[in-house]
Amino acid sequence: MIEIPSDLNPDLVPLAFLLGTWEGAGVSDFPGSEKCNFGQSVTFSHDGRDFIEYVSHSWVLDSEGRKVRPLESEAGYWRVDKDRKVEIVMVRDQGVVEIWYGDLADKKPQIDLATDTVARTPASPPHSGGKRLYGYVKGDLMWVGEKSTPEVPLRPYMSAHLKKVVTPEQVEAWAKDLGDLPDDGIAFFK
């Protein structure tokens, strides 16, 4: 269910499907890096201004699905204009800063992005660009990322399937909305 907070900046309504904390798992595979399954937690939040704050942490998973060690962290700011053009400024823990531009699909919650600018510190690994596709599919957030380096042409490197995390406060608020149900709860299904 997509909720639009009453204090959300009206310019951000097209991105409301992203809001919240999402957790799940995915796969990572890129030449020169460890191929692995990973866990991920992503939060999209807002404070009423004209951007959505983005924070992502991922970690390597062992064959039993347990956390082994951190994999990658990112943080950034997402904006969308009246023509559904999306822009993102993102920084990665590896010393990479990226500017992304893309489009919000017409009539569906999907964003197609590509890097416009990549800046790296001397200690960062090779990185020259990327593409990402985010989609809200049957209540879940799914994404796939592509990456290029000077040695490796653009190719898929990570993807994940994330589920929205429901907080106890949300459950409590939803329960209050169920006040019209009969006492036994069964009559609702008849």
Side-chain angles (χ1 to χ4, degrees), residues 97-156:
V97 176
E98 300 163 307
I99 296 176
W100 296 79
Y101 291 112
D103 296 299
L104 183 58
D106 190 32
K107 299 181 183 176
K108 62 182 173 180
Q110 179 180 306
I111 303 169
D112 195 3
L113 299 162
T115 52
D116 178 70
T117 303
V118 174
R120 302 182 310 110
T121 64
S124 72
H127 182 74
S128 55
K131 288 181 138 187
R132 288 197 189 173
L133 177 64
Y134 288 84
Y136 183 79
V137 181
K138 297 182 181 179
D140 294 345
L141 184 62
M142 302 170 100
W143 70 271
V144 61
E146 297 180 48
K147 180 167 79 170
S148 64
T149 70
E151 298 80 25
V152 181
L154 188 67
R155 60 158 290 193

Coordinates of all heavy atoms in Angstrom, one line a residue, residues 97-156:
V97 N 31.5 9.8 -5.4 CA 30.3 10.7 -5.4 C 29.7 10.6 -6.8 O 30.5 10.7 -7.8 CB 30.7 12.1 -5.1 CG1 29.5 13.0 -5.2 CG2 31.3 12.2 -3.7
E98 N 28.4 10.5 -6.9 CA 27.7 10.4 -8.2 C 26.6 11.3 -8.3 O 25.9 11.6 -7.3 CB 27.2 8.9 -8.4 CG 28.2 7.9 -8.4 CD 27.6 6.5 -8.2 OE1 26.9 6.3 -7.2 OE2 28.0 5.6 -8.9
I99 N 26.3 11.8 -9.5 CA 25.1 12.5 -9.8 C 24.4 11.7 -10.8 O 24.9 11.3 -11.9 CB 25.4 13.9 -10.4 CG1 26.1 14.8 -9.3 CG2 24.1 14.6 -10.8 CD1 26.5 16.1 -9.8
W100 N 23.1 11.4 -10.5 CA 22.3 10.5 -11.3 C 21.1 11.3 -11.9 O 20.5 12.2 -11.2 CB 21.7 9.4 -10.5 CG 22.6 8.4 -9.9 CD1 23.4 8.6 -8.8 CD2 22.9 7.1 -10.4 NE1 24.2 7.4 -8.6 CE2 23.9 6.5 -9.5 CE3 22.4 6.3 -11.5 CZ2 24.3 5.2 -9.7 CZ3 22.9 5.1 -11.6 CH2 23.8 4.5 -10.8
Y101 N 20.7 11.0 -13.1 CA 19.5 11.6 -13.7 C 18.7 10.5 -14.3 O 19.2 9.5 -14.7 CB 19.8 12.6 -14.8 CG 20.5 13.9 -14.3 CD1 21.8 14.2 -14.6 CD2 19.8 14.8 -13.6 CE1 22.4 15.4 -14.2 CE2 20.3 16.0 -13.1 CZ 21.6 16.2 -13.4 OH 22.2 17.4 -13.0
G102 N 17.4 10.7 -14.3 CA 16.5 9.6 -14.9 C 15.1 10.1 -15.0 O 14.8 11.2 -14.8
D103 N 14.3 9.1 -15.3 CA 12.9 9.4 -15.5 C 12.0 8.5 -14.7 O 12.3 7.3 -14.5 CB 12.5 9.1 -17.0 CG 13.2 10.0 -17.9 OD1 13.0 11.2 -17.8 OD2 14.0 9.6 -18.8
L104 N 10.9 9.0 -14.2 CA 9.9 8.3 -13.5 C 8.9 7.9 -14.6 O 8.4 8.7 -15.3 CB 9.2 9.2 -12.4 CG 8.2 8.6 -11.6 CD1 8.7 7.4 -10.8 CD2 7.6 9.6 -10.6
A105 N 8.7 6.6 -14.7 CA 7.8 6.0 -15.7 C 6.4 6.7 -15.7 O 6.0 7.1 -14.6 CB 7.7 4.5 -15.6
D106 N 5.8 6.7 -16.8 CA 4.4 7.2 -16.9 C 3.4 6.2 -16.4 O 3.5 5.0 -16.8 CB 4.1 7.6 -18.3 CG 2.8 8.4 -18.4 OD1 2.5 9.1 -17.5 OD2 2.1 8.2 -19.4
K107 N 2.6 6.5 -15.4 CA 1.6 5.7 -14.9 C 2.0 4.4 -14.1 O 1.2 3.5 -14.0 CB 0.6 5.3 -16.0 CG -0.1 6.5 -16.6 CD -1.1 6.2 -17.7 CE -1.6 7.4 -18.3 NZ -2.5 7.1 -19.4
K108 N 3.3 4.4 -13.7 CA 3.7 3.2 -12.9 C 4.9 3.7 -12.0 O 5.7 4.5 -12.4 CB 4.0 2.0 -13.7 CG 5.1 2.1 -14.7 CD 5.3 0.8 -15.5 CE 6.3 1.0 -16.6 NZ 6.5 -0.2 -17.4
P109 N 5.0 3.1 -10.9 CA 6.1 3.4 -9.9 C 7.4 2.8 -10.3 O 7.8 1.7 -9.7 CB 5.6 3.0 -8.6 CG 4.6 1.9 -8.9 CD 4.1 2.2 -10.2
Q110 N 8.1 3.3 -11.3 CA 9.3 2.8 -11.8 C 10.3 3.9 -12.2 O 9.8 4.9 -12.8 CB 9.1 1.9 -13.0 CG 10.3 1.3 -13.6 CD 10.0 0.5 -14.8 OE1 9.1 -0.4 -14.8 NE2 10.6 0.8 -16.0
I111 N 11.5 3.8 -11.8 CA 12.5 4.9 -12.0 C 13.7 4.3 -12.8 O 14.3 3.3 -12.3 CB 13.0 5.6 -10.7 CG1 11.8 6.1 -9.9 CG2 14.0 6.6 -11.0 CD1 12.1 6.5 -8.5
D112 N 14.1 4.9 -13.9 CA 15.2 4.4 -14.7 C 16.3 5.5 -14.6 O 16.0 6.7 -15.0 CB 14.7 4.2 -16.1 CG 15.7 3.5 -17.0 OD1 16.7 3.0 -16.4 OD2 15.4 3.3 -18.2
L113 N 17.4 5.2 -14.1 CA 18.5 6.2 -13.8 C 19.8 5.9 -14.5 O 20.1 4.7 -14.8 CB 18.8 6.2 -12.3 CG 17.6 6.6 -11.4 CD1 17.9 6.2 -10.0 CD2 17.4 8.1 -11.5
A114 N 20.6 6.9 -14.8 CA 22.0 6.7 -15.3 C 22.8 7.8 -14.6 O 22.4 8.9 -14.4 CB 22.0 6.9 -16.8
T115 N 24.1 7.5 -14.4 CA 25.0 8.5 -13.9 C 25.3 9.5 -14.9 O 25.5 9.2 -16.1 CB 26.3 7.9 -13.4 OG1 26.9 7.1 -14.4 CG2 26.1 7.0 -12.1
D116 N 25.4 10.8 -14.5 CA 25.9 11.9 -15.3 C 27.3 12.2 -15.0 O 28.1 12.6 -15.9 CB 24.9 13.1 -15.1 CG 25.3 14.3 -15.9 OD1 25.2 14.2 -17.2 OD2 25.8 15.3 -15.3
T117 N 27.6 12.2 -13.7 CA 28.9 12.6 -13.2 C 29.4 11.6 -12.1 O 28.6 11.2 -11.3 CB 28.9 14.0 -12.6 OG1 28.4 14.9 -13.6 CG2 30.3 14.4 -12.2
V118 N 30.6 11.2 -12.2 CA 31.2 10.4 -11.2 C 32.6 11.0 -10.8 O 33.4 11.3 -11.6 CB 31.5 8.9 -11.7 CG1 32.3 8.1 -10.7 CG2 30.3 8.2 -12.1
A119 N 32.7 11.2 -9.5 CA 34.0 11.7 -8.9 C 34.5 10.7 -7.9 O 33.7 10.2 -7.1 CB 33.7 13.1 -8.3
R120 N 35.8 10.5 -7.9 CA 36.4 9.5 -7.0 C 37.6 10.1 -6.3 O 38.3 10.9 -6.8 CB 36.9 8.3 -7.8 CG 35.9 7.6 -8.7 CD 36.5 6.4 -9.4 NE 37.7 6.6 -10.2 CZ 38.9 6.1 -9.9 NH1 39.1 5.4 -8.8 NH2 39.9 6.3 -10.6
T121 N 37.8 9.6 -5.1 CA 39.0 9.9 -4.3 C 40.1 9.0 -4.8 O 39.8 7.9 -5.5 CB 38.8 9.7 -2.8 OG1 38.6 8.3 -2.6 CG2 37.7 10.5 -2.3
P122 N 41.4 9.3 -4.6 CA 42.5 8.4 -5.1 C 42.4 7.0 -4.5 O 42.8 6.1 -5.1 CB 43.7 9.2 -4.6 CG 43.3 10.6 -4.5 CD 41.9 10.6 -4.0
A123 N 41.8 6.9 -3.3 CA 41.8 5.5 -2.7 C 40.6 4.7 -3.1 O 40.5 3.5 -2.8 CB 41.7 5.7 -1.2
S124 N 39.7 5.3 -3.9 CA 38.5 4.5 -4.3 C 38.8 3.5 -5.4 O 39.8 3.7 -6.2 CB 37.4 5.5 -4.8 OG 37.7 6.0 -6.0
P125 N 38.0 2.4 -5.5 CA 38.2 1.5 -6.6 C 37.8 2.1 -8.0 O 37.1 3.1 -8.0 CB 37.3 0.3 -6.3 CG 36.2 0.9 -5.4 CD 36.9 2.0 -4.7
P126 N 38.2 1.6 -9.1 CA 37.8 2.1 -10.4 C 36.3 2.1 -10.5 O 35.6 1.1 -10.1 CB 38.4 1.1 -11.4 CG 39.5 0.4 -10.6 CD 39.1 0.4 -9.2
H127 N 35.8 3.2 -11.0 CA 34.3 3.3 -11.2 C 34.1 4.5 -12.2 O 34.6 5.6 -12.0 CB 33.6 3.6 -9.9 CG 32.2 3.7 -10.0 ND1 31.3 2.6 -10.1 CD2 31.3 4.8 -9.9 CE1 30.1 3.0 -10.2 NE2 30.1 4.3 -10.0
S128 N 33.4 4.2 -13.3 CA 33.2 5.3 -14.3 C 31.8 5.6 -14.6 O 31.5 6.6 -15.3 CB 34.0 4.9 -15.6 OG 33.6 3.7 -16.1
G129 N 30.8 4.8 -14.1 CA 29.4 5.1 -14.4 C 28.5 3.9 -14.0 O 28.9 2.9 -13.6
G130 N 27.2 4.2 -14.2 CA 26.2 3.2 -13.9 C 24.8 3.5 -14.3 O 24.6 4.6 -14.8
K131 N 24.0 2.5 -14.2 CA 22.6 2.6 -14.5 C 21.9 1.9 -13.4 O 22.4 0.9 -12.8 CB 22.2 2.0 -15.8 CG 22.7 2.7 -17.0 CD 22.2 2.0 -18.3 CE 21.7 3.0 -19.3 NZ 21.1 2.3 -20.4
R132 N 20.6 2.3 -13.1 CA 19.8 1.6 -12.1 C 18.4 1.7 -12.5 O 17.9 2.7 -13.1 CB 19.9 2.2 -10.7 CG 21.2 1.9 -10.0 CD 21.2 2.2 -8.6 NE 22.5 2.1 -8.0 CZ 22.8 2.4 -6.8 NH1 21.9 2.8 -5.9 NH2 24.1 2.2 -6.3
L133 N 17.6 0.7 -12.1 CA 16.2 0.6 -12.4 C 15.6 0.2 -11.0 O 15.9 -0.8 -10.4 CB 15.9 -0.4 -13.4 CG 14.4 -0.7 -13.7 CD1 13.7 0.6 -14.3 CD2 14.2 -1.8 -14.7
Y134 N 14.7 1.1 -10.5 CA 13.9 0.8 -9.3 C 12.5 0.6 -9.7 O 11.9 1.4 -10.5 CB 14.0 2.0 -8.3 CG 15.3 2.2 -7.7 CD1 16.3 2.8 -8.3 CD2 15.6 1.7 -6.4 CE1 17.6 3.0 -7.7 CE2 16.8 1.8 -5.8 CZ 17.8 2.5 -6.4 OH 19.0 2.7 -5.8
G135 N 11.8 -0.4 -9.1 CA 10.4 -0.6 -9.4 C 9.6 -1.0 -8.1 O 10.2 -1.8 -7.3
Y136 N 8.4 -0.5 -8.0 CA 7.5 -1.0 -6.9 C 6.6 -2.0 -7.5 O 5.8 -1.7 -8.4 CB 6.7 0.3 -6.5 CG 5.8 0.0 -5.3 CD1 6.2 -0.1 -4.0 CD2 4.4 -0.1 -5.5 CE1 5.4 -0.3 -2.9 CE2 3.5 -0.3 -4.5 CZ 4.0 -0.4 -3.2 OH 3.1 -0.6 -2.1
V137 N 6.8 -3.3 -7.1 CA 6.1 -4.4 -7.7 C 5.4 -5.2 -6.7 O 6.0 -5.8 -5.8 CB 7.1 -5.3 -8.5 CG1 6.4 -6.5 -9.1 CG2 8.0 -4.6 -9.5
K138 N 4.0 -5.2 -6.8 CA 3.2 -5.9 -5.8 C 3.6 -5.6 -4.4 O 3.7 -6.6 -3.5 CB 3.2 -7.4 -6.1 CG 2.7 -7.8 -7.5 CD 2.7 -9.3 -7.7 CE 2.2 -9.5 -9.1 NZ 2.2 -11.0 -9.4
G139 N 3.8 -4.4 -4.0 CA 4.1 -4.0 -2.7 C 5.5 -4.1 -2.3 O 5.9 -3.7 -1.2
D140 N 6.4 -4.6 -3.1 CA 7.8 -4.8 -2.8 C 8.6 -3.8 -3.7 O 8.2 -3.3 -4.7 CB 8.3 -6.2 -3.2 CG 7.7 -7.2 -2.2 OD1 7.1 -6.9 -1.2 OD2 7.8 -8.4 -2.6
L141 N 9.8 -3.5 -3.2 CA 10.7 -2.6 -3.9 C 11.8 -3.5 -4.5 O 12.5 -4.2 -3.8 CB 11.4 -1.5 -3.0 CG 12.3 -0.5 -3.7 CD1 11.5 0.3 -4.7 CD2 12.9 0.4 -2.7
M142 N 12.0 -3.4 -5.8 CA 13.0 -4.2 -6.5 C 13.9 -3.2 -7.3 O 13.5 -2.2 -7.8 CB 12.4 -5.2 -7.5 CG 11.4 -6.1 -6.7 SD 10.4 -7.1 -7.8 CE 11.3 -8.6 -7.8
W143 N 15.2 -3.6 -7.3 CA 16.1 -2.8 -8.1 C 17.2 -3.6 -8.7 O 17.5 -4.7 -8.2 CB 16.7 -1.7 -7.2 CG 17.6 -2.1 -6.2 CD1 17.3 -2.5 -4.9 CD2 19.1 -2.2 -6.3 NE1 18.5 -2.8 -4.2 CE2 19.6 -2.6 -5.1 CE3 20.0 -2.0 -7.3 CZ2 20.9 -2.8 -4.8 CZ3 21.3 -2.2 -7.1 CH2 21.8 -2.6 -5.9
V144 N 17.8 -3.1 -9.8 CA 18.9 -3.7 -10.4 C 19.9 -2.6 -10.8 O 19.5 -1.5 -11.2 CB 18.5 -4.6 -11.7 CG1 17.9 -3.7 -12.8 CG2 19.7 -5.3 -12.2
G145 N 21.2 -2.9 -10.6 CA 22.2 -1.8 -10.9 C 23.2 -2.4 -11.9 O 23.5 -3.6 -11.8
E146 N 23.7 -1.5 -12.7 CA 24.7 -1.8 -13.6 C 25.9 -0.8 -13.3 O 25.7 0.3 -12.8 CB 24.3 -1.6 -15.1 CG 23.2 -2.5 -15.5 CD 22.7 -2.2 -17.0 OE1 23.6 -2.1 -17.8 OE2 21.5 -2.1 -17.2
K147 N 27.1 -1.3 -13.6 CA 28.3 -0.5 -13.3 C 29.3 -0.7 -14.4 O 29.4 -1.7 -15.0 CB 28.9 -1.0 -11.9 CG 30.1 -0.2 -11.5 CD 30.4 -0.5 -10.0 CE 31.1 -1.8 -9.8 NZ 31.7 -2.0 -8.4
S148 N 30.1 0.4 -14.6 CA 31.3 0.3 -15.5 C 32.5 0.8 -14.8 O 32.4 1.6 -13.9 CB 31.0 1.0 -16.8 OG 30.9 2.4 -16.5
T149 N 33.6 0.3 -15.3 CA 34.9 0.9 -14.9 C 35.7 1.1 -16.1 O 35.3 0.7 -17.2 CB 35.7 -0.2 -14.0 OG1 36.1 -1.3 -14.8 CG2 34.8 -0.6 -12.8
P150 N 36.9 1.7 -16.0 CA 37.7 1.9 -17.3 C 38.0 0.5 -17.9 O 38.2 0.4 -19.1 CB 39.0 2.6 -16.8 CG 38.5 3.4 -15.6 CD 37.5 2.5 -14.9
E151 N 38.1 -0.6 -17.1 CA 38.5 -1.9 -17.6 C 37.3 -2.7 -18.0 O 37.4 -3.7 -18.8 CB 39.3 -2.6 -16.6 CG 40.6 -2.0 -16.2 CD 40.5 -0.9 -15.2 OE1 39.5 -0.9 -14.4 OE2 41.3 0.0 -15.2
V152 N 36.1 -2.5 -17.4 CA 34.9 -3.3 -17.6 C 33.8 -2.5 -18.1 O 33.3 -1.5 -17.5 CB 34.5 -4.0 -16.3 CG1 33.2 -4.9 -16.5 CG2 35.6 -4.8 -15.6
P153 N 33.2 -2.8 -19.3 CA 32.1 -2.1 -19.8 C 30.9 -2.2 -19.0 O 30.8 -3.2 -18.2 CB 31.9 -2.7 -21.2 CG 32.7 -3.9 -21.3 CD 33.6 -3.9 -20.2
L154 N 29.9 -1.3 -19.1 CA 28.7 -1.3 -18.3 C 28.0 -2.7 -18.4 O 27.8 -3.3 -19.4 CB 27.7 -0.3 -18.9 CG 26.4 -0.1 -18.1 CD1 26.8 0.6 -16.8 CD2 25.5 0.8 -18.9
R155 N 27.8 -3.3 -17.1 CA 27.1 -4.6 -17.0 C 26.5 -4.7 -15.7 O 26.8 -4.0 -14.7 CB 28.2 -5.7 -17.2 CG 29.3 -5.6 -16.1 CD 29.9 -6.9 -16.0 NE 29.0 -7.8 -15.3 CZ 29.3 -9.0 -14.8 NH1 30.5 -9.4 -14.9 NH2 28.4 -9.7 -14.2
P156 N 25.4 -5.6 -15.5 CA 24.8 -5.7 -14.2 C 25.8 -6.1 -13.2 O 26.7 -6.9 -13.4 CB 23.8 -6.8 -14.5 CG 23.5 -6.8 -16.0 CD 24.8 -6.4 -16.6

